[in-house]
Amino acid sequence: MILPTSYFSVVVLLVVSFICLGLWVNTFKLTGGRWRFELFSIDFAIGVLLLSLIAALTLGSLGSDLAFTDRMLVAGHAAQAFGAAAGCIFNLGNMLLLAAVSLLGMAGAFPLSIGIALIVASLFNLHGSNIWLLVGGILFLLVTVVLDGSACRLRDRRATAHRVSKDTVAQHADAKHADTAHPVRTATVAAKPAQAKASAPSSRTAVKPTAKAKARRTAKGLVVAVLSGVALGVFYPVAAKGTAGEFGLGPYAGMLMFSVGVLLSTIVLNFYFLNISIDNEPLSFGAYFHGNVRQHLLGFAGGAVWAGGALAAALAASVTLPSGVPPALVLILPLCSVLLVMLFGTMRWKEFASAPRHAKAWLGLTALLFTVGLVLLGIGIAS
């Protein structure tokens, strides 16, 4: 199999990882609001498997190192099981992350979910001389999670209040128009104010269910994002048991077994997610075949792009780093893709366009503190 051997090749792989892991979720947004995350996940899993298989049969079978088939034989069934199990755990977290994106948007869901994931993953590394760096990174990420959740709640509260204001103005305008057009009705209402007050619902009553529904949707998104982060934080230690070491699967075979776990778990998990309907109404598997070609191709592309980024990061982390490459960079740069996701969410998809200024300020502070926490964790784990 082909592995990076130079400073340049490692840096290129890390940049590719950063770009791919920051771009793939845009394919989900491009499918449109009607294409549910459960259905997108099926195509996503197929795309991950196809990219992993192509990479294993080409780059994983060339070069002077062991081919991916030899790696699978050397590693044995236990390592293969760990690789597939990691794919199942990751897919649970990723499907929940997509559900959170549906509820909160990219800029709201990603820093919250990945922040929790980094905290959970760091708990497996709380030892050594740099424990204070790890603790500091965890504290920064905890603040990040709180700020991000607060920014989402402020944004959605502002959107609900704006809708309430518009509905109230529209109702007053309709009432004024009706009074002008029907002077007899105006006189009747003036003569019987008590009857009019009892018969006409107030604007607050009319929009209250909408405000409550929006608040519930935001709260659900925050809970789903936290659960996603827990699953995503657990999968990495499991994957390391299957891929790392002299008798591990290595990057290509490990990615292939990982993708098998992703695909199999998608089928199983969708029986649950399609019925509990985190977002909108329950669906059947038959809804998958009602999607158009563009939606399916975007799902395949999303899975392939994510798998390309994950494989690039795995290749960079699987070798003894050439002179000049900081070990912390291998951990930090791929995860900095969260900042790229936030940039697309705010600039391309305008997810915080109607948010108040302090909500936007909190989101910017979220990005800054996320970066600081990530750097501290990266240095603490790598050194």
Side-chain angles (χ1 to χ4, degrees):
M1 58 183 171
I2 296 178
L3 297 174
T5 56
S6 65
Y7 173 91
F8 178 76
S9 60
V10 170
V11 172
V12 167
L13 285 172
L14 292 176
V15 173
V16 168
S17 175
F18 166 76
I19 294 173
C20 290
L21 295 179
L23 290 179
W24 74 269
V25 72
N26 288 277
T27 60
F28 175 55
K29 297 282 286 188
L30 287 169
T31 57
R34 290 187 174 183
W35 193 240
R36 296 263 291 272
F37 78 91
E38 301 96 330
L39 308 177
F40 177 86
S41 295
I42 299 173
D43 294 325
F44 177 88
I46 295 172
V48 171
L49 179 62
L50 289 176
L51 191 283
S52 302
L53 185 60
I54 292 171
L57 293 175
T58 54
L59 299 176
S61 300
L62 302 173
S64 57
D65 290 288
L66 289 176
F68 86 97
T69 51
D70 298 326
R71 268 290 185 181
M72 294 187 72
L73 292 174
V74 169
H77 297 299
Q80 295 175 25
F82 276 120
C88 295
I89 298 171
F90 164 82
N91 196 43
L92 171 62
N94 196 59
M95 290 182 73
L96 289 171
L97 176 58
L98 288 173
V101 169
S102 299
L103 297 167
L104 301 175
M106 292 163 46
F110 263 75
L112 180 56
S113 176
I114 305 304
I116 294 291
L118 287 171
I119 292 171
V120 173
S122 299
L123 296 178
F124 293 93
N125 294 279
L126 280 179
H127 53 77
S129 59
N130 292 319
I131 188 171
W132 293 113
L133 286 174
L134 298 175
V135 172
I138 290 174
L139 292 177
F140 270 102
L141 290 174
L142 283 173
V143 176
T144 294
V145 167
V146 174
L147 283 175
D148 183 62
S150 300
C152 290
R153 292 182 69 87
L154 282 172
R155 174 198 62 186
D156 297 338
R157 188 183 304 166
R158 168 70 173 269
T160 302
H162 182 64
R163 188 182 299 112
V164 170
S165 177
K166 289 178 64 177
D167 290 344
T168 304
V169 171
Q171 288 175 4
H172 284 305
D174 290 342
K176 184 176 181 180
H177 175 74
D179 292 343
T180 304
H182 303 282
V184 176
R185 183 187 302 171
T186 304
T188 305
V189 171
K192 299 179 180 180
Q195 182 181 354
K197 184 177 181 180
S199 61
S202 67
S203 61
R204 181 180 299 178
T205 304
V207 298
K208 192 174 181 180
T210 302
K212 283 187 176 180
K214 186 65 177 177
R216 285 196 298 267
R217 182 180 175 87
T218 304
K220 183 190 294 185
L222 296 176
V223 172
V224 170
V226 170
L227 294 176
S228 165
V230 173
L232 292 175
V234 170
F235 101 89
Y236 184 78
V238 178
K241 288 188 176 182
T243 58
E246 198 172 321
F247 297 101
L249 288 168
Y252 294 103
M255 193 67 197
L256 183 60
M257 293 306 303
F258 181 91
S259 64
V260 170
V262 170
L263 182 61
L264 293 178
S265 63
T266 300
I267 299 172
V268 175
L269 290 172
N270 260 338
F271 280 110
Y272 179 71
F273 285 125
L274 286 170
N275 283 286
I276 66 167
S277 63
I278 293 178
D279 187 22
N280 292 322
E281 299 299 321
L283 287 178
S284 65
F285 261 108
Y288 172 77
F289 300 100
H290 295 159
N292 57 46
V293 174
R294 179 176 179 273
Q295 288 170 328
H296 290 301
L297 289 177
L298 283 169
F300 299 148
V305 171
W306 181 88
L311 180 59
L315 285 168
S318 66
V319 297
T320 302
L321 293 177
S323 177
V325 180
L329 187 66
V330 178
L331 297 172
I332 294 171
L333 191 55
L335 291 170
C336 275
S337 58
V338 173
L339 303 177
L340 187 58
V341 172
M342 294 178 69
L343 182 64
F344 272 97
T346 54
M347 302 300 292
R348 168 64 177 85
W349 301 107
K350 309 296 182 183
E351 293 173 348
F352 278 78
S354 61
R357 289 184 178 179
H358 49 291
K360 295 177 181 178
W362 286 9
L363 187 68
L365 189 57
T366 295
L368 176 62
L369 296 183
F370 179 88
T371 305
V372 174
L374 177 59
V375 169
L376 291 176
L377 289 181
I379 296 173
I381 293 173
S383 56

